[in-house]
Amino acid sequence: RCMEQTRSPTVAHHVHRTARLGAWVLISEHWYNEREVKGIVSWRSIGARYATKVSGRDVQSYMDDHHEIPKNASLFSAIQIILEHDCVLVRADDRRISGIVTASDIAREFETISTPFLLLAEIENNLRSIIEKKLSKDDIIKSCGENYLPNDFTSVSDLTFGNYVKILEYPANWTKMGWYLDRVKFCSELATVNNIRNDVMHFDPDPPSPDEMTQLRNVAKMLDTLRSMKAF
C-alpha cells in the first residue's frame, strides 16, 4: 500500500536513534517516505530478536536492512526479494520512497490475475468431458460441419470453445444430454463465457469486470454441480 508523501526530514533523520518502540506506528509514515531509509521494522524482525533474547527500547534495536526497487520495475523482479525478506520498498523518480510491496500484495495480485484463467480452465475441462462422454465424433461433425472444425480435428481436445457452444446448440445433441435444462439459455451463458474468454486469452489490458467474473463463477459452479450429480 502506497503511503502519502511527507516532508519532515528532522523526524526522519532522528527516529531510528531516538524513537521508542511504542511510538513506531505513530511516526513511521514520516520516516518511511524520506529519501534516506534506515531500515525496516516488522513483526518478523521483532520476533527474531525476541526469540534470541535481543532486547532494546529503541526502534533501531529491532530494525532489519531494507530492500528496494524503482517504481517502474516489473512486479516479478520484486518476488524473490519478498520471498526472502517479506517486503520491498518502492522508490519514486524523485528518490522518495513511495510505497511498499508485501507478500499479501503479491498474493492478491496473483489471485486477480489467475482467477479468470482458472475458472475458464475449469469450465472448458467440464465441457470437454461432457462432449466426450455424451457424443460421438459423428455427432460433433454433424453439428459443426467439417468446415468449422479444426483441420487437425481427431478428438474433443482439438476443439475450440466456439465449437463447444455450437455442438451443444444442436438440438439432437442436446437431447442426448438427458437434462431438464433450457438449451437456449444454457448455450447463451456459454456464448457469453466465450466472449470473456477471448478477451482474457488475448490479454486485454482491462481485467474482466465484476459482472463478467460473476458470470464465470456461475457457469463454473453450474457445471461443477452437474458433475457432482453425475450428469456426465
Side-chain angles (χ1 to χ4, degrees):
R1 186 174 63 88
C2 291
M3 310 285 281
E4 295 181 358
Q5 293 290 344
T6 184
R7 297 183 183 276
S8 300
T10 302
V11 175
H13 183 69
H14 294 293
V15 67
H16 74 288
R17 290 178 295 160
T18 61
R20 299 301 183 186
L21 184 59
W24 167 246
V25 175
L26 297 177
I27 63 177
S28 61
E29 292 190 19
H30 298 285
W31 178 43
Y32 174 78
N33 284 283
E34 294 305 318
R35 291 184 176 87
E36 182 181 2
V37 178
K38 302 298 183 180
I40 290 288
V41 177
S42 66
W43 286 119
R44 177 179 179 176
S45 68
I46 294 171
R49 285 155 180 79
Y50 178 80
T52 55
K53 297 184 178 181
V54 174
S55 62
R57 296 183 59 83
D58 297 336
V59 169
Q60 68 171 355
S61 300
Y62 298 87
M63 196 163 57
D64 285 340
D65 291 339
H66 76 287
H67 301 269
E68 61 182 66
I69 57 174
K71 72 171 188 178
N72 58 356
S74 167
L75 178 62
F76 294 102
S77 66
I79 291 178
Q80 189 59 44
I81 298 174
I82 293 171
L83 287 175
E84 294 180 11
H85 306 287
D86 292 341
C87 67
V88 62
L89 301 182
V90 180
R91 193 171 287 278
D93 293 337
D94 64 1
R95 300 302 299 158
R96 292 179 181 272
I97 296 298
S98 61
I100 184 170
V101 182
T102 68
S104 295
D105 296 322
I106 294 292
R108 282 192 292 269
E109 186 69 13
F110 176 77
E111 180 183 18
T112 299
I113 294 172
S114 65
T115 296
F117 289 94
L118 295 175
L119 288 171
L120 286 166
E122 182 178 344
I123 290 169
E124 290 201 42
N125 286 334
N126 276 326
L127 290 176
R128 190 177 298 123
S129 182
I130 288 169
I131 294 171
E132 284 179 339
K133 292 179 180 180
K134 295 282 189 176
L135 302 173
S136 67
K137 187 174 181 179
D138 286 341
D139 292 328
I140 293 171
I141 294 173
K142 188 182 299 183
S143 55
C144 281
E146 292 188 4
N147 292 335
Y148 293 95
L149 291 172
N151 293 330
D152 56 350
F153 169 63
T154 57
S155 66
V156 174
S157 60
D158 298 324
L159 299 173
T160 66
F161 200 102
N163 291 145
Y164 300 152
V165 178
K166 197 166 186 66
I167 289 166
L168 293 174
E169 282 178 335
Y170 195 66
N173 290 343
W174 186 256
T175 299
K176 293 185 178 183
M177 298 298 110
W179 304 334
Y180 291 110
L181 296 174
D182 186 285
R183 173 180 61 86
V184 174
K185 174 64 175 173
F186 186 95
C187 292
S188 175
E189 297 290 329
L190 294 186
T192 300
V193 169
N194 190 31
N195 290 333
I196 299 171
R197 180 190 182 281
N198 288 338
D199 288 338
V200 170
M201 295 303 180
H202 288 88
F203 300 101
D204 190 301
D206 296 321
S209 69
D211 287 344
E212 290 173 330
M213 290 302 299
T214 297
Q215 175 75 10
L216 293 181
R217 288 189 174 94
N218 287 344
V219 172
K221 184 176 182 180
M222 174 184 64
L223 294 174
D224 187 59
T225 299
L226 289 173
R227 176 185 285 276
S228 67
M229 298 297 292
K230 302 188 184 304
F232 61 92

